[in-house]
Each structure stands twice: as structure tokens, then as C-alpha cells.
Amino acid sequence: MLEESNNWGRWGSDDERGALNLLTPEVVVAAAGSVREGRTVSLSLPIRGATSSPAPTTVPHLRGRPLPQHFMSVDGGDYAAGTRAIGAGLKMADDALVVTPHGTTTHMDALCHMWSGDELYNGHPADRVRSYGAGRCGIDKAGPVVARGVLFDVPKLRGAGHLEAGDRIGPEDLEGCGVEVRPGDVAVVRTGWPLVWQEGPDAYWAGQPGLSADGGRWLAERDVCMVASDNAAIGGLNARQLADEDLADDLHMIFLWRHGIYLAEMLWLEELAETGRTDFLFLAVPLRIEGGTASPINPIAVL
């Protein structure tokens, strides 16, 4: 598969940041030129703990994935039952939050998330992925993402509110959106699929639309640093929540493994789409989880 174009060695044999190396100071300064209104739009779904009984029915997620768990060290009921204040009338509560981001929250995949054979992106040994985290290409190596974002609103192009589960987004769709793509851009691809959750979990789990392999290659050829989408896997999923593509055409292999292009999944893009803007300043900061395969993020579009 590495006979196909890739970024291995492009930024040196020790590189663990991949396409984020494209975000030079000059590219970031140019990206700031996309700010024309000063408005900000959050692109994330809420993190709603499954311990709140309605949560599993209100936030899109993949079937069978461990949902976020949100607990409080002490709550109002404890104080009502006689828990002492910590000072002269001073009360407090602390959070305990457990999040497994893949398939449950708006998140950013690290380059160590998926690989083939015995090597991670750029030839790093896969045996460095241990039970306590990845010794190479973890999410802590990424750093902040400050880039020009470009929106590919494919449902709008097709005159639909959202794509259908079996739809795949190819180069012709991306070209049809009429968006100029520059090296170092974040390609934000809207499918509208989170809207289907309103019809119920079974409808959302019936499959998912997403990029085709050729659509992914089209973006990789244009040197984007990240691909972000509102679906759960960038590529499409079938009713078993699996990709139908073989290994050579798997979108995670094309982006993460071959090109070092980061992925952000399960975004909320409806408010951004309503603005009509196709270019903006994109901000996302992953948590510095040492050796993490992903991190929850709250991406921001600055218009």
C-alpha cells in the first residue's frame, strides 16, 4: 500500500506530527485572514454523561461504544442530608469524567489510532503502542490546530437536508462545492447525518454516509492537514457500523497512516452551514493525553 503516494519521511524520519507540519507561522497568519466578522461558532456535540438517564437517547453515538460517564464528588442532595460545608458557608462539587472519545464524542484521532502491519505512520514501530498508551505518534504530539477551515456542504450541493446512509462523497462532489483548497487547510465535510438521530437511534445506526476512497485521495493530494466531518468515521459505514472498503481504500489508512493527516469526527456543523460561510479560521486543541489515540475537542470556527 505504501507504493501509493504518502508522506513518510517528508518531514524527517523522526516525525510524529504528520501533516500538521504544514501549519507554518506563515500559513497560520494567512489563515487568520479568513476572519471577517469576528463571530465564533462551536462545532462540537455536547458531552452528556450516560449516568443522566436520558443521555443515551439524546446525543448521537455509535451502538455499543462506552458512553461518557459523569459523576459528582458531592451534590446538593449530600448537603441537604447534612454534609458539612468546607468553610464558612462555602460549598463545592468536583467532577469525575470518563470519556472514550471514539464513536461517542466530538474528537480528534491521533496518528497512532490505526495502522497496518508492524509500522505506524512514518515507519514508527507499532510495538510502541502499549497498554498504557502509544510511545509514538500519540495525540500529545499534535499540538494546537490553528488553520484555515473550508466547508464542503455536500447536502446543500445535492439539494438535501442530509445525505442518505449509502451515499459516498467523491471528487466530483468536492469539486462541485466550489471551494478553493490550500495546503495546510482543514477540510470540513458536512453530511448532515447527526440530524438523523432525531428519527431515533435505529435510523442513525442503519449506516452512515461519508467520503469515498477517491474523495479521500482528492483531499490528500491537496495537502490538507486535517479532515473533519459530522459523521462517525470520515468514510461511510454499513449497518454493522463497519467500513465496506478493503484495507487499501480504508479512509483511516489513507489519511492517518499514509499521509499523516489528522481526522476529527462527530462534529456538529448545522450552525456553521446556516452561516453560508465556506472559509473561516478553524481552531481545535486536543488534550495533552500522553500516548492517547484520540482526544475530545471543541472545534471553533471564527468567521
Side-chain angles (χ1 to χ4, degrees), residues 10-291:
R10 179 176 177 181
W11 295 287
S13 60
D14 294 331
D15 173 52
E16 300 180 57
R17 294 191 69 231
L20 291 183
N21 285 292
L22 293 166
L23 297 179
T24 62
E26 294 78 14
V27 170
V28 173
V29 169
S34 300
V35 179
R36 299 190 288 276
E37 304 170 51
R39 286 194 293 145
T40 60
V41 179
S42 172
L43 309 180
S44 71
L45 294 168
I47 296 177
R48 190 168 293 148
T51 44
S52 173
S53 58
T57 64
T58 58
V59 181
H61 60 270
L62 290 182
R63 182 173 49 210
R65 300 294 178 95
L67 293 175
Q69 303 292 310
H70 188 189
F71 304 96
M72 304 296 282
S73 62
V74 62
D75 59 28
D78 294 314
Y79 287 115
T83 297
R84 290 185 178 183
I86 62 174
L90 179 63
K91 300 176 182 180
M92 65 175 290
D94 296 325
D95 295 271
L97 183 65
V98 179
V99 179
T100 54
H102 299 293
T104 65
T105 58
T106 304
H107 66 278
M108 175 176 166
D109 285 346
L111 300 185
C112 63
H113 176 42
M114 288 190 181
W115 67 90
S116 178
D118 299 323
E119 294 176 307
L120 306 176
Y121 160 76
N122 207 32
H124 292 289
D127 62 9
R128 295 301 300 270
V129 180
R130 308 287 177 81
S131 59
Y132 51 81
R136 293 289 185 273
C137 300
I139 197 66
D140 54 304
K141 305 296 173 49
V145 181
V146 181
R148 176 175 176 263
V150 288
L151 177 65
F152 295 88
D153 193 342
V154 183
K156 180 180 179 181
L157 175 70
R158 297 188 183 184
H162 63 78
L163 301 184
E164 299 301 319
D167 286 343
R168 299 296 179 263
I169 299 167
E172 65 283 356
D173 296 300
L174 299 172
E175 291 173 352
C177 288
V179 177
E180 177 196 6
V181 186
R182 304 172 188 168
D185 281 353
V186 174
V188 180
V189 182
R190 177 175 174 261
T191 69
W193 195 247
L195 297 174
V196 176
W197 187 264
Q198 300 168 6
E199 303 172 21
D202 288 340
Y204 184 84
W205 293 333
Q208 290 202 14
L211 281 170
S212 70
D214 285 342
R217 292 187 177 97
W218 189 91
L219 290 173
E221 288 168 2
R222 280 151 183 79
D223 248 356
V224 298
C225 70
M226 173 186 284
V227 177
S229 187
D230 55 0
N231 65 0
I234 302 297
L237 296 176
N238 58 33
R240 294 182 297 145
Q241 298 183 142
L242 299 173
D244 288 322
E245 292 83 7
D246 60 21
L247 197 60
D249 285 340
D250 185 276
L251 269 296
H252 281 66
M253 293 291 101
I254 291 172
F255 288 129
L256 294 174
W257 191 58
R258 291 183 211 145
H259 291 277
I261 295 172
Y262 287 78
L263 303 180
E265 299 164 333
M266 302 189 72
L267 277 68
W268 176 255
L269 299 176
E270 299 311 303
E271 292 176 35
L272 176 62
E274 289 172 2
T275 69
R277 286 285 299 272
T278 57
D279 70 311
F280 44 89
L281 182 64
F282 178 96
L283 307 173
V285 182
L287 301 176
R288 294 183 67 178
I289 305 168
E290 291 193 358

